[in-house]
PDB file of all heavy atoms in Angstrom:
ATOM      1  N   CYS I   2      95.948  99.351  85.818  1.00  0.00           N
ATOM      2  CA  CYS I   2      96.825 100.258  85.058  1.00  0.00           C
ATOM      3  C   CYS I   2      96.767 101.683  85.623  1.00  0.00           C
ATOM      4  O   CYS I   2      97.807 102.357  85.738  1.00  0.00           O
ATOM      5  CB  CYS I   2      96.421 100.257  83.593  1.00  0.00           C
ATOM      6  SG  CYS I   2      96.690  98.678  82.742  1.00  0.00           S
ATOM      7  N   LEU I   3      95.573 102.128  85.978  1.00  0.00           N
ATOM      8  CA  LEU I   3      95.427 103.468  86.550  1.00  0.00           C
ATOM      9  C   LEU I   3      96.149 103.572  87.894  1.00  0.00           C
ATOM     10  O   LEU I   3      96.816 104.579  88.180  1.00  0.00           O
ATOM     11  CB  LEU I   3      93.943 103.792  86.720  1.00  0.00           C
ATOM     12  CG  LEU I   3      93.599 105.182  87.278  1.00  0.00           C
ATOM     13  CD1 LEU I   3      94.109 106.279  86.357  1.00  0.00           C
ATOM     14  CD2 LEU I   3      92.084 105.304  87.492  1.00  0.00           C
ATOM     15  N   PHE I   4      96.030 102.538  88.708  1.00  0.00           N
ATOM     16  CA  PHE I   4      96.693 102.531  90.013  1.00  0.00           C
ATOM     17  C   PHE I   4      98.209 102.553  89.856  1.00  0.00           C
ATOM     18  O   PHE I   4      98.911 103.254  90.598  1.00  0.00           O
ATOM     19  CB  PHE I   4      96.243 101.300  90.798  1.00  0.00           C
ATOM     20  CG  PHE I   4      96.807 101.214  92.176  1.00  0.00           C
ATOM     21  CD1 PHE I   4      96.481 102.161  93.139  1.00  0.00           C
ATOM     22  CD2 PHE I   4      97.674 100.193  92.524  1.00  0.00           C
ATOM     23  CE1 PHE I   4      97.001 102.081  94.422  1.00  0.00           C
ATOM     24  CE2 PHE I   4      98.192 100.108  93.806  1.00  0.00           C
ATOM     25  CZ  PHE I   4      97.862 101.062  94.750  1.00  0.00           C
ATOM     26  N   THR I   5      98.716 101.781  88.896  1.00  0.00           N
ATOM     27  CA  THR I   5     100.155 101.765  88.649  1.00  0.00           C
ATOM     28  C   THR I   5     100.647 103.131  88.173  1.00  0.00           C
ATOM     29  O   THR I   5     101.711 103.606  88.588  1.00  0.00           O
ATOM     30  CB  THR I   5     100.499 100.687  87.613  1.00  0.00           C
ATOM     31  OG1 THR I   5     100.027  99.414  88.071  1.00  0.00           O
ATOM     32  CG2 THR I   5     102.003 100.610  87.384  1.00  0.00           C
ATOM     33  N   TYR I   6      99.860 103.769  87.312  1.00  0.00           N
ATOM     34  CA  TYR I   6     100.239 105.105  86.827  1.00  0.00           C
ATOM     35  C   TYR I   6     100.258 106.125  87.964  1.00  0.00           C
ATOM     36  O   TYR I   6     101.183 106.948  88.069  1.00  0.00           O
ATOM     37  CB  TYR I   6      99.262 105.551  85.740  1.00  0.00           C
ATOM     38  CG  TYR I   6      99.386 107.007  85.373  1.00  0.00           C
ATOM     39  CD1 TYR I   6     100.472 107.473  84.625  1.00  0.00           C
ATOM     40  CD2 TYR I   6      98.437 107.935  85.806  1.00  0.00           C
ATOM     41  CE1 TYR I   6     100.591 108.817  84.303  1.00  0.00           C
ATOM     42  CE2 TYR I   6      98.553 109.282  85.491  1.00  0.00           C
ATOM     43  CZ  TYR I   6      99.634 109.720  84.744  1.00  0.00           C
ATOM     44  OH  TYR I   6      99.752 111.052  84.434  1.00  0.00           O
ATOM     45  N   GLN I   7      99.256 106.054  88.838  1.00  0.00           N
ATOM     46  CA  GLN I   7      99.217 106.995  89.963  1.00  0.00           C
ATOM     47  C   GLN I   7     100.375 106.757  90.923  1.00  0.00           C
ATOM     48  O   GLN I   7     100.946 107.712  91.475  1.00  0.00           O
ATOM     49  CB  GLN I   7      97.884 106.859  90.690  1.00  0.00           C
ATOM     50  CG  GLN I   7      96.694 107.364  89.883  1.00  0.00           C
ATOM     51  CD  GLN I   7      95.373 107.119  90.592  1.00  0.00           C
ATOM     52  OE1 GLN I   7      95.296 106.348  91.555  1.00  0.00           O
ATOM     53  NE2 GLN I   7      94.323 107.771  90.116  1.00  0.00           N
ATOM     54  N   THR I   8     100.737 105.497  91.113  1.00  0.00           N
ATOM     55  CA  THR I   8     101.891 105.195  91.969  1.00  0.00           C
ATOM     56  C   THR I   8     103.171 105.768  91.381  1.00  0.00           C
ATOM     57  O   THR I   8     104.018 106.325  92.101  1.00  0.00           O
ATOM     58  CB  THR I   8     102.020 103.674  92.142  1.00  0.00           C
ATOM     59  OG1 THR I   8     100.815 103.149  92.686  1.00  0.00           O
ATOM     60  CG2 THR I   8     103.171 103.333  93.079  1.00  0.00           C
ATOM     61  N   TRP I   9     103.333 105.654  90.067  1.00  0.00           N
ATOM     62  CA  TRP I   9     104.512 106.229  89.406  1.00  0.00           C
ATOM     63  C   TRP I   9     104.488 107.754  89.472  1.00  0.00           C
ATOM     64  O   TRP I   9     105.532 108.386  89.688  1.00  0.00           O
ATOM     65  CB  TRP I   9     104.554 105.764  87.958  1.00  0.00           C
ATOM     66  CG  TRP I   9     105.562 106.491  87.125  1.00  0.00           C
ATOM     67  CD1 TRP I   9     106.910 106.263  87.074  1.00  0.00           C
ATOM     68  CD2 TRP I   9     105.307 107.598  86.249  1.00  0.00           C
ATOM     69  NE1 TRP I   9     107.514 107.149  86.202  1.00  0.00           N
ATOM     70  CE2 TRP I   9     106.550 107.983  85.685  1.00  0.00           C
ATOM     71  CE3 TRP I   9     104.156 108.293  85.870  1.00  0.00           C
ATOM     72  CZ2 TRP I   9     106.659 109.026  84.781  1.00  0.00           C
ATOM     73  CZ3 TRP I   9     104.258 109.332  84.968  1.00  0.00           C
ATOM     74  CH2 TRP I   9     105.503 109.693  84.429  1.00  0.00           C
ATOM     75  N   ARG I  10     103.310 108.320  89.302  1.00  0.00           N
ATOM     76  CA  ARG I  10     103.207 109.782  89.287  1.00  0.00           C
ATOM     77  C   ARG I  10     103.542 110.380  90.643  1.00  0.00           C
ATOM     78  O   ARG I  10     104.236 111.409  90.726  1.00  0.00           O
ATOM     79  CB  ARG I  10     101.799 110.181  88.874  1.00  0.00           C
ATOM     80  CG  ARG I  10     101.585 111.688  88.779  1.00  0.00           C
ATOM     81  CD  ARG I  10     100.162 111.995  88.361  1.00  0.00           C
ATOM     82  NE  ARG I  10      99.930 113.446  88.311  1.00  0.00           N
ATOM     83  CZ  ARG I  10      98.753 113.997  88.052  1.00  0.00           C
ATOM     84  NH1 ARG I  10      97.698 113.209  87.797  1.00  0.00           N
ATOM     85  NH2 ARG I  10      98.626 115.310  88.021  1.00  0.00           N
ATOM     86  N   PHE I  11     103.063 109.746  91.713  1.00  0.00           N
ATOM     87  CA  PHE I  11     103.312 110.282  93.061  1.00  0.00           C
ATOM     88  C   PHE I  11     104.582 109.731  93.696  1.00  0.00           C
ATOM     89  O   PHE I  11     104.875 110.025  94.855  1.00  0.00           O
ATOM     90  CB  PHE I  11     102.116 109.987  93.967  1.00  0.00           C
ATOM     91  CG  PHE I  11     100.866 110.717  93.561  1.00  0.00           C
ATOM     92  CD1 PHE I  11      99.811 110.045  92.962  1.00  0.00           C
ATOM     93  CD2 PHE I  11     100.746 112.086  93.763  1.00  0.00           C
ATOM     94  CE1 PHE I  11      98.656 110.717  92.585  1.00  0.00           C
ATOM     95  CE2 PHE I  11      99.595 112.766  93.389  1.00  0.00           C
ATOM     96  CZ  PHE I  11      98.547 112.079  92.793  1.00  0.00           C
ATOM     97  N   LYS I  12     105.321 108.895  92.949  1.00  0.00           N
ATOM     98  CA  LYS I  12     106.617 108.368  93.399  1.00  0.00           C
ATOM     99  C   LYS I  12     106.513 107.643  94.744  1.00  0.00           C
ATOM    100  O   LYS I  12     107.333 107.864  95.645  1.00  0.00           O
ATOM    101  CB  LYS I  12     107.654 109.499  93.482  1.00  0.00           C
ATOM    102  CG  LYS I  12     107.940 110.158  92.138  1.00  0.00           C
ATOM    103  CD  LYS I  12     108.956 111.270  92.272  1.00  0.00           C
ATOM    104  CE  LYS I  12     109.349 111.851  90.928  1.00  0.00           C
ATOM    105  NZ  LYS I  12     108.216 112.331  90.127  1.00  0.00           N
ATOM    106  N   ASP I  13     105.518 106.780  94.861  1.00  0.00           N
ATOM    107  CA  ASP I  13     105.371 105.974  96.076  1.00  0.00           C
ATOM    108  C   ASP I  13     106.464 104.911  96.134  1.00  0.00           C
ATOM    109  O   ASP I  13     106.812 104.296  95.117  1.00  0.00           O
ATOM    110  CB  ASP I  13     104.002 105.289  96.107  1.00  0.00           C
ATOM    111  CG  ASP I  13     102.881 106.281  96.335  1.00  0.00           C
ATOM    112  OD1 ASP I  13     103.160 107.404  96.798  1.00  0.00           O
ATOM    113  OD2 ASP I  13     101.712 105.945  96.029  1.00  0.00           O
ATOM    114  N   VAL I  14     106.985 104.696  97.335  1.00  0.00           N
ATOM    115  CA  VAL I  14     108.009 103.671  97.546  1.00  0.00           C
ATOM    116  C   VAL I  14     107.560 102.735  98.648  1.00  0.00           C
ATOM    117  O   VAL I  14     106.670 103.049  99.438  1.00  0.00           O
ATOM    118  CB  VAL I  14     109.371 104.314  97.915  1.00  0.00           C
ATOM    119  CG1 VAL I  14     109.884 105.178  96.778  1.00  0.00           C
ATOM    120  CG2 VAL I  14     109.250 105.109  99.201  1.00  0.00           C
ATOM    121  N   SER I  15     108.176 101.588  98.678  1.00  0.00           N
ATOM    122  CA  SER I  15     107.852 100.604  99.698  1.00  0.00           C
ATOM    123  C   SER I  15     108.254 101.127 101.076  1.00  0.00           C
ATOM    124  O   SER I  15     109.269 101.812 101.235  1.00  0.00           O
ATOM    125  CB  SER I  15     108.582  99.289  99.407  1.00  0.00           C
ATOM    126  OG  SER I  15     108.439  98.388 100.482  1.00  0.00           O
ATOM    127  N   GLN I  16     107.463 100.784 102.079  1.00  0.00           N
ATOM    128  CA  GLN I  16     107.759 101.186 103.450  1.00  0.00           C
ATOM    129  C   GLN I  16     108.721 100.236 104.145  1.00  0.00           C
ATOM    130  O   GLN I  16     109.071 100.447 105.301  1.00  0.00           O
ATOM    131  CB  GLN I  16     106.462 101.292 104.250  1.00  0.00           C
ATOM    132  CG  GLN I  16     105.516 102.371 103.736  1.00  0.00           C
ATOM    133  CD  GLN I  16     104.256 102.478 104.564  1.00  0.00           C
ATOM    134  OE1 GLN I  16     104.070 101.732 105.532  1.00  0.00           O
ATOM    135  NE2 GLN I  16     103.393 103.415 104.204  1.00  0.00           N
ATOM    136  N   GLY I  17     109.136  99.176 103.432  1.00  0.00           N
ATOM    137  CA  GLY I  17     110.096  98.250 104.004  1.00  0.00           C
ATOM    138  C   GLY I  17     111.521  98.747 103.866  1.00  0.00           C
ATOM    139  O   GLY I  17     111.790  99.880 103.435  1.00  0.00           O
ATOM    140  N   LEU I  18     112.463  97.878 104.221  1.00  0.00           N
ATOM    141  CA  LEU I  18     113.874  98.244 104.162  1.00  0.00           C
ATOM    142  C   LEU I  18     114.377  98.368 102.735  1.00  0.00           C
ATOM    143  O   LEU I  18     115.419  99.003 102.507  1.00  0.00           O
ATOM    144  CB  LEU I  18     114.706  97.202 104.921  1.00  0.00           C
ATOM    145  CG  LEU I  18     114.430  97.090 106.430  1.00  0.00           C
ATOM    146  CD1 LEU I  18     115.245  95.957 107.027  1.00  0.00           C
ATOM    147  CD2 LEU I  18     114.731  98.403 107.139  1.00  0.00           C
ATOM    148  N   ASP I  19     113.665  97.789 101.771  1.00  0.00           N
ATOM    149  CA  ASP I  19     114.140  97.842 100.389  1.00  0.00           C
ATOM    150  C   ASP I  19     113.894  99.201  99.737  1.00  0.00           C
ATOM    151  O   ASP I  19     114.636  99.609  98.846  1.00  0.00           O
ATOM    152  CB  ASP I  19     113.454  96.752  99.558  1.00  0.00           C
ATOM    153  CG  ASP I  19     111.936  96.897  99.593  1.00  0.00           C
ATOM    154  OD1 ASP I  19     111.382  97.028 100.708  1.00  0.00           O
ATOM    155  OD2 ASP I  19     111.307  96.872  98.523  1.00  0.00           O
ATOM    156  N   ALA I  20     112.837  99.925 100.158  1.00  0.00           N
ATOM    157  CA  ALA I  20     112.486 101.244  99.602  1.00  0.00           C
ATOM    158  C   ALA I  20     112.377 101.209  98.080  1.00  0.00           C
ATOM    159  O   ALA I  20     112.826 102.113  97.371  1.00  0.00           O
ATOM    160  CB  ALA I  20     113.497 102.297 100.042  1.00  0.00           C
ATOM    161  N   THR I  21     111.752 100.137  97.566  1.00  0.00           N
ATOM    162  CA  THR I  21     111.582  99.976  96.121  1.00  0.00           C
ATOM    163  C   THR I  21     110.443 100.868  95.613  1.00  0.00           C
ATOM    164  O   THR I  21     109.380 100.914  96.238  1.00  0.00           O
ATOM    165  CB  THR I  21     111.273  98.504  95.788  1.00  0.00           C
ATOM    166  OG1 THR I  21     112.328  97.680  96.273  1.00  0.00           O
ATOM    167  CG2 THR I  21     111.107  98.299  94.287  1.00  0.00           C
ATOM    168  N   PRO I  22     110.620 101.567  94.507  1.00  0.00           N
ATOM    169  CA  PRO I  22     109.480 102.275  93.911  1.00  0.00           C
ATOM    170  C   PRO I  22     108.364 101.281  93.576  1.00  0.00           C
ATOM    171  O   PRO I  22     108.583 100.321  92.831  1.00  0.00           O
ATOM    172  CB  PRO I  22     110.080 102.907  92.646  1.00  0.00           C
ATOM    173  CG  PRO I  22     111.542 103.019  92.939  1.00  0.00           C
ATOM    174  CD  PRO I  22     111.881 101.832  93.791  1.00  0.00           C
ATOM    175  N   LEU I  23     107.180 101.510  94.097  1.00  0.00           N
ATOM    176  CA  LEU I  23     106.129 100.505  94.010  1.00  0.00           C
ATOM    177  C   LEU I  23     105.592 100.303  92.601  1.00  0.00           C
ATOM    178  O   LEU I  23     104.974  99.264  92.318  1.00  0.00           O
ATOM    179  CB  LEU I  23     104.982 100.880  94.957  1.00  0.00           C
ATOM    180  CG  LEU I  23     105.288 100.734  96.450  1.00  0.00           C
ATOM    181  CD1 LEU I  23     104.108 101.189  97.286  1.00  0.00           C
ATOM    182  CD2 LEU I  23     105.644  99.286  96.776  1.00  0.00           C
ATOM    183  N   TRP I  24     105.806 101.274  91.713  1.00  0.00           N
ATOM    184  CA  TRP I  24     105.288 101.085  90.358  1.00  0.00           C
ATOM    185  C   TRP I  24     106.019  99.963  89.622  1.00  0.00           C
ATOM    186  O   TRP I  24     105.467  99.372  88.682  1.00  0.00           O
ATOM    187  CB  TRP I  24     105.407 102.391  89.559  1.00  0.00           C
ATOM    188  CG  TRP I  24     106.807 102.849  89.295  1.00  0.00           C
ATOM    189  CD1 TRP I  24     107.553 103.683  90.062  1.00  0.00           C
ATOM    190  CD2 TRP I  24     107.630 102.480  88.179  1.00  0.00           C
ATOM    191  NE1 TRP I  24     108.796 103.879  89.508  1.00  0.00           N
ATOM    192  CE2 TRP I  24     108.859 103.161  88.338  1.00  0.00           C
ATOM    193  CE3 TRP I  24     107.441 101.672  87.063  1.00  0.00           C
ATOM    194  CZ2 TRP I  24     109.898 103.019  87.429  1.00  0.00           C
ATOM    195  CZ3 TRP I  24     108.475 101.538  86.146  1.00  0.00           C
ATOM    196  CH2 TRP I  24     109.688 102.207  86.342  1.00  0.00           C
ATOM    197  N   ILE I  25     107.229  99.633  90.059  1.00  0.00           N
ATOM    198  CA  ILE I  25     107.978  98.562  89.389  1.00  0.00           C
ATOM    199  C   ILE I  25     107.313  97.197  89.604  1.00  0.00           C
ATOM    200  O   ILE I  25     107.019  96.494  88.625  1.00  0.00           O
ATOM    201  CB  ILE I  25     109.445  98.571  89.860  1.00  0.00           C
ATOM    202  CG1 ILE I  25     110.115  99.884  89.455  1.00  0.00           C
ATOM    203  CG2 ILE I  25     110.201  97.382  89.277  1.00  0.00           C
ATOM    204  CD1 ILE I  25     111.550 100.012  89.931  1.00  0.00           C
ATOM    205  N   PRO I  26     107.053  96.764  90.847  1.00  0.00           N
ATOM    206  CA  PRO I  26     106.341  95.487  90.992  1.00  0.00           C
ATOM    207  C   PRO I  26     104.884  95.557  90.546  1.00  0.00           C
ATOM    208  O   PRO I  26     104.302  94.535  90.161  1.00  0.00           O
ATOM    209  CB  PRO I  26     106.456  95.191  92.495  1.00  0.00           C
ATOM    210  CG  PRO I  26     106.659  96.513  93.142  1.00  0.00           C
ATOM    211  CD  PRO I  26     107.459  97.307  92.168  1.00  0.00           C
ATOM    212  N   GLN I  27     104.291  96.764  90.578  1.00  0.00           N
ATOM    213  CA  GLN I  27     102.901  96.876  90.155  1.00  0.00           C
ATOM    214  C   GLN I  27     102.736  96.740  88.650  1.00  0.00           C
ATOM    215  O   GLN I  27     101.614  96.491  88.170  1.00  0.00           O
ATOM    216  CB  GLN I  27     102.322  98.203  90.624  1.00  0.00           C
ATOM    217  CG  GLN I  27     102.055  98.260  92.120  1.00  0.00           C
ATOM    218  CD  GLN I  27     101.616  99.627  92.594  1.00  0.00           C
ATOM    219  OE1 GLN I  27     101.490 100.561  91.801  1.00  0.00           O
ATOM    220  NE2 GLN I  27     101.398  99.756  93.893  1.00  0.00           N
ATOM    221  N   ILE I  28     103.816  96.866  87.896  1.00  0.00           N
ATOM    222  CA  ILE I  28     103.733  96.633  86.449  1.00  0.00           C
ATOM    223  C   ILE I  28     103.285  95.208  86.162  1.00  0.00           C
ATOM    224  O   ILE I  28     102.508  94.952  85.226  1.00  0.00           O
ATOM    225  CB  ILE I  28     105.090  96.932  85.787  1.00  0.00           C
ATOM    226  CG1 ILE I  28     105.359  98.445  85.776  1.00  0.00           C
ATOM    227  CG2 ILE I  28     105.130  96.401  84.359  1.00  0.00           C
ATOM    228  CD1 ILE I  28     106.693  98.807  85.171  1.00  0.00           C
TER     229      ILE I  28
END
């Protein structure tokens, strides 16, 4: 849960072609 929150806070996105915000699959 903490990792998912930090990913959302720092707006990390996937490095692939999809560029998906990583907090979505991390939920």
Side-chain angles (χ1 to χ4, degrees):
C2 294
L3 182 61
F4 183 65
T5 303
Y6 168 73
Q7 291 176 346
T8 303
W9 169 80
R10 182 180 178 184
F11 294 107
K12 298 180 175 55
D13 290 342
V14 297
S15 171
Q16 296 181 359
L18 296 176
D19 58 310
T21 302
L23 289 178
W24 65 269
I25 297 177
Q27 287 174 1
I28 288 179

